């Protein structure tokens, strides 16, 4: 079966380099927040085009700590989407703020800017747009709105390492941005990892304290903080993999091109890329009213599919919200993810395309 994601494939391809990087950490005797983390933070910030990056334990913490560093506290309202990983909303809730989920654009799947404005109340303090599947949200409109209402913006870039609008990478538009290095992400660690990227030196300082018990200096806490550190092994692996991120994203886009071509005249709706944007193609997600049948059809060709996600967050018990989100709810009956990772071989891509072309023709 051709899987939807395959983090092991990159490890196999880069095994020698990764082994060397791991051995260097083992020999160094430093295992948490050491020189490898500092080196990776610098490299990652440079890749994104931001002045600062702070390594943290995972992407959920990256969203949470970014909000905390920007001053979001108990009782504030934070506007985001229901169409995301639960982590986005969980992170907002962890700060004590109230997540307010709004609808998405039916064509690009990212937060609907008009819906943000309609949801703003006197308690609103921040917006968390999600670059879902690697598709950049409409950041220029979101930042203009944020400025008008004096709101902070934390970009959730967990699925969008290297995505851009024009020449500007996502993660550099908002006041801060959160990245996940979960193993299946476009830049994935061999375990958990995350980073917050920011422009402001004061926010950078706060993040460095926040991720380690609020320490201003060792053992001395100036403010409340948490334990959310990146370890040396993950940072060393991430530095190796970062060198291949841009080429990996290119391969993802080429595979997406092959799928979209195979789906011409199929009645299946393929991903629509925002004009002027570079999609990171973390996931290739199609829309079909017959997605269950499509999934079975592809399975008969040895092609796995997945749902991202099986239930909208506003309809889940933990984060239920009464207001209906019509585009989100409609799309949750129709979206289906196809295999997408850079190491997919030609024969596998051909096999997926064979299955796609045969849809509706049997
Ligand atoms: C959009 C989004 N936000 C946040 C996260 C959380 O990242 P992590 O799993 O590293 O905590 C993820 C990853 O699952 C994600 O896809």
């Amino acid at each position: 079966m051709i899987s939807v994601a395959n983090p092991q494939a990159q490890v196999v391809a880069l095994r020698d380099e990764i082994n060397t990087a791991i051995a260097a950490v083992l020999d160094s005797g430093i295992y948490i927040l050491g020189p490898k983390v500092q080196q990776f933070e610098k490299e990652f910030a440079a890749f994104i085009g931001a002045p600062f990056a702070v390594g943290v334990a995972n992407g959920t913490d990256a969203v949470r700590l970014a909000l905390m560093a920007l001053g979001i506290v108990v009782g504030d309202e934070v506007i985001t989407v229901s169409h995301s990983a639960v982590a986005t909303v969980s992170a907002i809730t962890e700060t004590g703020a109230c997540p307010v989920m709004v609808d998405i654009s039916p064509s690009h799947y990212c937060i609907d800017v008009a819906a943000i404005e309609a949801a703003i109340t006197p308690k609103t303090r921040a917006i968390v747009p999600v670059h879902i599947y690697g598709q950049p949200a409409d950041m220029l409109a979101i930042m203009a709105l944020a400025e008008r209402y004096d709101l902070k913006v934390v970009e959730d870039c967990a699925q969008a390492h290297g995505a851009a609008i024009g020449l500007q990478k996502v993660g550099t538009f908002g006041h801060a941005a959160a990245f996940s290095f979960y193993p299946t992400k476009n830049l994935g660690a061999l375990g958990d990892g995350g980073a917050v990227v920011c422009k402001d030196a004061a926010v950078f300082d706060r993040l460095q304290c926040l991720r380690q018990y609020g320490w201003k200096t060792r053992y001395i806490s100036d403010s409340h903080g948490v334990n959310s550190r990146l370890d040396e092994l993950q940072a060393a692996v991430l530095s190796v993999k970062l060198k291949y991120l841009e080429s990996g994203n290119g391969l993802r886009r080429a595979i997406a091109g092959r799928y979209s071509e195979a789906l011409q005249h199929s009645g299946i709706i393929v991903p629509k890329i925002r004009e002027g944007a570079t999609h990171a193609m973390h996931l290739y997600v199609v829309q079909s009213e017959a997605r269950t049948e499509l999934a079975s059809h592809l399975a008969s060709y040895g092609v796995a599919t997945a749902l991202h996600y099986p239930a909208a967050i506003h309809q889940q018990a933990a984060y239920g919200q009464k207001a209906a989100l019509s585009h989100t709810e409609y799309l949750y009956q129709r979206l289906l993810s196809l295999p997408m990772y850079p190491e997919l071989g030609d024969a596998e891509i051909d096999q997926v395309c064979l299955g796609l072309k045969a849809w509706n023709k049997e």
Side-chain angles (χ1 to χ4, degrees), residues 281-294:
M281 225 25 102
H282 172 58
L283 291 167
Y284 183 93
V285 182
V286 297
Q287 231 191 96
S288 166
E289 58 194 8
R291 74 150 172 219
T292 311
E293 293 77 8
L294 177 60

Side-chain angles (χ1 to χ4, degrees), residues 58-60 84-85 87-88 130 156 158-159 180 182 185 193 309:
N58 55 64
T60 314
S84 183
T88 309
V130 180
D156 184 337
Q159 302 187 4
S180 162
Y182 184 79
K185 301 300 193 211
Y309 295 89

Side-chain angles (χ1 to χ4, degrees), residues 21-71:
I22 288 175
V25 174
L26 299 186
D27 291 341
S28 76
I30 303 172
Y31 304 122
I32 283 194
L33 288 190
K36 298 291 181 200
V37 170
Q38 277 177 11
Q39 182 191 327
F40 172 68
E41 287 172 339
K42 286 206 173 68
E43 290 167 354
F44 190 63
F47 173 81
I48 296 298
F52 305 110
V54 179
V56 298
N58 55 64
T60 314
D61 277 358
V63 176
R64 170 171 68 136
L65 299 184
L67 288 167
M68 287 169 75
L70 292 171

Side-chain angles (χ1 to χ4, degrees), residues 129-154:
V130 180
H131 306 299
I132 196 78
Y133 307 149
Q135 167 94 278
D138 189 355
M139 288 315 300
L140 299 180
I142 292 168
M143 293 315 295
L145 189 70
E147 198 165 321
R148 197 139 38 91
Y149 287 90
D150 194 20
L151 304 175
K152 298 294 185 195
V153 175
V154 173

